[in-house]
């Protein structure tokens, strides 16, 4: 049966605000100029904060040429109806939002109680990129950033294994006659798979843990046996971690806090100067010793192990990340702009899966569980 598309409830012109990101070293922008052109073609007005695209090498002139209106201040951008960001609002931005505004961005609200409270107090209608989900379980707006983060994780690990960076002084792939570094990747999803691709290319000895046997079978086919694929249990994980020069945490439970799979004791069992990279830090991290770091101060040493826990890894390759992210978000953003957050959730089950808050009510089950807050049914609020 072909769904009937009705246009009678299509909303009039929506003003879409694209602010500069203010998180440490966050140089991505939530829209590229050709995306602005597409929104303008759909009859919307796009306000871009001056300089928002510079970190991704997009000039104000390119946005202007695409039909967007470049404005000088954040206040002018936040006067828009729909705010589109890359990262979740930070406390310094909370006062800029007005009651009932609409927000489309990465939220990771399960790991941030103050952000959750803000969304509810300010009655923001929000959709989180990371929980927008297709019927087959894919996360189309998280995938491109997971791909970037997985690849970057190995670059970061290789760098921090070097002596000047405080590491053990190992070359990831070794050279003939010396052993390669051993890398254990926990989680064989998108990030873990991309990390494995780069690590294998750099000739490390790579082991991937995943609980899903069919995923391990898939990885076995894709990598043609060049990975050691392991079904985890606590003792097995502990043994592999102790024997690792690099540990990469790539565990994702959509929308909820990451499980702490690696204990402090396991980290302490690693050789001094080993490197642990926690890609799951956006969702609270999957190592007991993890705490968020920034690109300007990316590492710390705990139990003799160099920890790299940057909460926005893809921000370091801002242009690649912006291109990858905005290519994925644009079709969904057009739906949100045309119908509003509420209307978009009614016409698109994929976007409905990403709803976090509606008019002062929390509608995301995992976020409610993380903070012990009551959760309303989105369907009831939209009816």
């Amino acid at each position: 049966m072909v769904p009937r598309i009705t246009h009678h409830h299509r909303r009039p012109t929506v003003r879409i605000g694209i602010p500069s990101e203010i998180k440490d070293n966050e140089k991505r922008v939530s829209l590229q100029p050709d995306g602005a052109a597409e929104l303008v073609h759909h009859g919307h007005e796009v306000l871009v904060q001056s300089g928002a695209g510079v970190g991704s090498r997009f000039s104000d002139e390119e946005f202007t040429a695409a039909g967007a209106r470049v404005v000088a201040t954040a206040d002018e951008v936040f006067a828009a109806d729909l705010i589109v960001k890359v990262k979740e609002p930070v406390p310094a931005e909370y006062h800029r939002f007005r009651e009932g505004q609409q927000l489309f961005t990465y939220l990771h609200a399960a790991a941030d109680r103050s952000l959750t409270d803000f969304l509810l107090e300010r009655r923001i209608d929000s959709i989180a990129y990371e929980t927008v989900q297709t019927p087959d379980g894919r996360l189309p707006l998280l995938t491109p950033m997971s791909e970037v983060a997985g690849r970057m994780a190995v670059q970061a690990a290789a760098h921090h294994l070097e002596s000047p960076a405080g590491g053990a002084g190992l070359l990831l792939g070794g050279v003939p006659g010396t052993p390669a570094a051993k890398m254990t990747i926990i989680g064989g999803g998108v990030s873990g798979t991309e990390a494995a691709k780069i690590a294998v290319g750099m000739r490390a000895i790579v082991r991937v843990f995943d609980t899903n046997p069919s995923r391990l079978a898939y990885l076995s086919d894709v990598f043609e046996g060049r990975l050691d694929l392991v079904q985890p249990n606590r003792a097995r994980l502990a043994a592999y971690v102790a024997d690792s020069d690099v540990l990469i945490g790539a565990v994702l439970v959509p929308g909820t806090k990451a499980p702490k799979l690696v204990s402090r004791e396991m980290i302490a069992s690693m050789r001094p100067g080993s490197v642990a990279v926690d890609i799951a830090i956006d969702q609270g991290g999957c190592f007991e010793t993890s705490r968020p770091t920034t690109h300007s101060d990316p590492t710390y040493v705990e139990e003799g192990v160099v920890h790299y826990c940057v909460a926005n890894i893809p921000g370091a390759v801002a242009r690649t990340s912006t291109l990858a992210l905005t290519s994925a978000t644009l079709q969904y953003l057009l739906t949100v702009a045309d119908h509003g957050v509420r209307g978009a959730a009614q016409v698109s089950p994929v976007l409905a899966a990403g709803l976090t808050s509606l008019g002062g009510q929390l509608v995301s089950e995992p976020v409610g569980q993380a903070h012990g807050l009551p959760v309303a049914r989105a369907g009831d609020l939209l009816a």
Side-chain angles (χ1 to χ4, degrees):
M1 188 179 114
V2 180
R4 201 161 53 91
I5 296 180
T6 51
H7 292 286
H8 61 266
H9 59 248
R10 176 162 165 175
R11 291 152 58 102
T13 301
V14 167
R15 278 189 306 169
I16 297 153
I18 310 295
S20 296
E21 298 293 326
I22 62 172
K23 249 190 142 152
D24 177 80
N25 269 282
E26 180 52 76
K27 297 185 186 305
R28 289 176 289 180
V29 63
S30 59
L31 191 69
Q32 53 180 303
D34 63 6
E38 197 68 27
L39 286 162
V40 170
H41 176 71
H42 273 237
H44 302 300
E45 188 182 355
V46 180
L47 306 178
V48 178
Q49 187 174 346
S50 181
V54 169
S56 300
R57 303 286 181 262
F58 291 115
S59 67
D60 287 354
E61 290 72 27
E62 287 173 89
F63 280 107
T64 303
R69 189 150 67 85
V70 174
V71 296
T73 65
D75 284 337
E76 292 169 271
V77 169
F78 279 89
D81 311 299
L82 168 64
I83 303 299
V84 182
K85 290 179 87 294
V86 177
K87 293 303 288 179
E88 72 284 349
V90 294
E93 292 173 306
Y94 290 176
H95 73 279
R96 299 193 187 282
F97 284 83
R98 58 173 195 279
E99 189 154 310
Q101 216 158 12
Q102 302 179 77
L103 175 64
F104 191 36
T105 188
Y106 285 118
L107 278 172
H108 301 290
D112 190 341
R113 177 63 192 255
S114 70
L115 172 67
T116 306
D117 290 341
F118 155 73
L119 292 170
L120 299 180
E121 282 160 16
R122 203 57 58 95
R123 304 174 71 83
I124 304 292
D125 288 351
S126 65
I127 294 178
Y129 292 163
E130 73 275 9
T131 48
V132 169
Q133 192 164 19
T134 58
D136 62 1
R138 285 186 315 107
L139 301 164
L141 305 188
L142 190 60
T143 295
M145 295 304 92
S146 299
E147 290 169 343
V148 172
R151 294 181 173 208
M152 289 282 298
V154 178
Q155 285 182 200
H159 172 66
H160 290 288
L161 268 182
E162 295 166 13
S163 306
L170 292 175
L171 180 63
L172 202 57
V175 289
T178 72
K182 291 178 178 164
M183 178 182 294
T184 298
I185 299 170
I186 305 172
V190 176
S191 290
T193 301
E194 296 303 319
K197 285 179 190 172
I198 302 300
V200 166
M202 291 174 86
R203 308 234 169 151
I205 297 164
V206 184
R207 303 83 68 91
V208 177
F209 276 74
D210 201 281
T211 51
N212 180 347
S214 63
R215 186 67 187 177
L216 292 178
Y218 164 79
L219 292 173
S220 177
D221 286 348
V222 170
F223 287 93
E224 298 177 332
R226 287 177 299 167
L227 295 180
D228 189 359
L229 296 161
V230 192
Q231 187 91 44
N233 60 44
R234 297 262 332 149
R236 198 175 284 164
L237 182 60
Y240 273 84
V241 169
D243 188 38
S244 297
D245 300 296
V246 175
L247 179 64
I248 293 184
V251 181
L252 176 81
V253 183
T256 186
K257 283 184 90 156
K260 298 276 187 234
L261 297 180
V262 176
S263 66
R264 179 172 286 278
E265 291 71 36
M266 290 184 200
I267 293 286
S269 73
M270 296 174 77
R271 288 180 285 275
S274 299
V275 175
V277 179
D278 196 341
I279 301 175
I281 194 69
D282 271 339
Q283 299 281 27
C286 59
F287 310 151
E288 198 183 337
T289 46
S290 294
R291 59 175 188 270
T293 62
T294 62
H295 286 296
S296 52
D297 189 10
T299 61
Y300 59 89
V301 177
E302 191 87 32
E303 304 292 351
V305 174
V306 179
H307 285 60
Y308 180 95
C309 303
V310 174
N312 59 328
I313 295 176
V317 285
R319 187 170 176 95
T320 295
S321 295
T322 289
L323 290 167
L325 177 64
T326 57
S327 297
T329 55
L330 184 59
Q331 58 165 317
Y332 297 101
L333 173 54
L334 287 168
T335 304
V336 175
D338 287 349
H339 300 279
V341 164
R342 289 166 181 257
Q346 287 169 308
V347 300
S348 166
V350 179
L351 282 166
L355 281 173
T356 300
S357 59
L358 280 175
Q361 306 250 40
L362 192 59
V363 291
S364 165
E365 197 62 59
V367 176
Q369 282 173 346
H371 302 308
L373 290 168
V375 177
R377 283 198 33 220
D380 297 344
L381 300 179
L382 295 170

